[in-house]
Amino acid sequence: MTKSVEYFFSIGSPWSHIGFDAFTELAAKNGVVVTPYLTTVVEENGGIFSRNRPEIRRAYWTRDLKRWARVRGKDLRLEHRPELSDPTPASLFVIAAYLDGQDWIGVSRALQHAFWSEARDIGKADVREAIVTAAGFDGAALLRRQADDDVQNKWSADRVHARDSGVFGFPSYVYDGELYWGQDNLPFLERHLRGDRP
């Protein structure tokens, strides 16, 4: 039987970046079909943007990100970042690639790496087009597609589905009706995929 995981993530989430390769490798190893859903923090379910947290919690969050980045072998540039625009529009490139049957995983990886490891301004259309083009994709085509109705409709529907699925933060994974929040929960997801349902 095919195993299917709903994958909720945000290009603007450092945790999504840190856990991305670990999840895609886990999915490949376990024969999982992944359906991506892209959105931002679901505040109505209790999600909190990091900028709205107390400073003491933000400081711990930063330390924890650095620890996990080292564990996952990810470069993470958190200090001395230039003023960057909202990375959310980059999600539309990923959605367009997914809808067109392209390598949305590769597009996601390129954009996340550029934003979190290189502090590049993927909120700007010309910047993200150049990034995905350099990674071997048709950046001009993805740029044209981002305004299309099917892409915009999925972007809107993804948020509704995340809210209705109980998602509040990223990354989150839903398998067999069970929600797993955070890339540190991947071991529990893998146990479930192998038959150990909680």
Side-chain angles (χ1 to χ4, degrees), residues 34-50:
V34 178
T35 303
Y37 296 92
L38 290 101
T39 185
T40 58
V41 171
V42 187
E43 293 182 286
E44 54 265 55
N45 283 353
I48 304 172
F49 284 98
S50 62

Side-chain angles (χ1 to χ4, degrees), residues 125-172:
D126 59 329
V127 174
R128 61 180 176 271
E129 179 185 355
I131 289 165
V132 298
T133 298
F137 303 100
D138 189 343
L142 292 174
L143 181 61
R144 287 192 301 271
R145 283 281 282 128
Q146 69 179 8
D148 290 347
D149 286 346
D150 60 337
V151 174
Q152 293 290 326
N153 289 341
K154 178 166 168 52
W155 169 249
S156 298
D158 281 5
R159 179 167 188 80
V160 173
H161 186 55
R163 182 199 66 202
D164 293 349
S165 299
V167 171
F168 47 89
F170 307 107
S172 289

Side-chain angles (χ1 to χ4, degrees), residues 21-91:
D21 291 337
F23 170 62
T24 55
E25 289 165 11
L26 180 157
K29 183 172 63 174
N30 289 277
V32 169
V33 174
V34 178
T35 303
Y37 296 92
L38 290 101
T39 185
T40 58
V41 171
V42 187
E43 293 182 286
E44 54 265 55
N45 283 353
I48 304 172
F49 284 98
S50 62
R51 63 178 176 269
N52 296 330
R53 294 174 181 157
E55 185 54 40
I56 195 163
R57 185 171 174 192
R58 282 180 51 80
Y60 181 84
W61 176 80
T62 299
R63 292 298 305 149
D64 210 29
L65 280 168
K66 290 177 178 179
R67 287 192 286 257
W68 272 106
R70 289 187 68 178
V71 167
R72 298 292 191 202
K74 292 277 190 171
D75 292 323
L76 191 63
R77 183 176 169 189
L78 294 176
E79 283 89 17
H80 311 298
R81 289 173 66 85
E83 193 69 31
L84 302 176
S85 53
D86 181 4
T88 300
S91 301

Side-chain angles (χ1 to χ4, degrees), residues 74-122:
K74 292 277 190 171
D75 292 323
L76 191 63
R77 183 176 169 189
L78 294 176
E79 283 89 17
H80 311 298
R81 289 173 66 85
E83 193 69 31
L84 302 176
S85 53
D86 181 4
T88 300
S91 301
L92 301 174
F93 271 35
V94 179
I95 290 172
Y98 171 73
L99 291 176
D100 292 347
Q102 297 181 40
D103 179 14
W104 65 268
I105 290 175
V107 172
S108 300
R109 183 179 291 116
L111 291 168
Q112 289 184 37
H113 176 80
F115 187 70
W116 287 111
S117 299
E118 301 173 345
R120 295 179 66 186
D121 198 348
I122 63 173

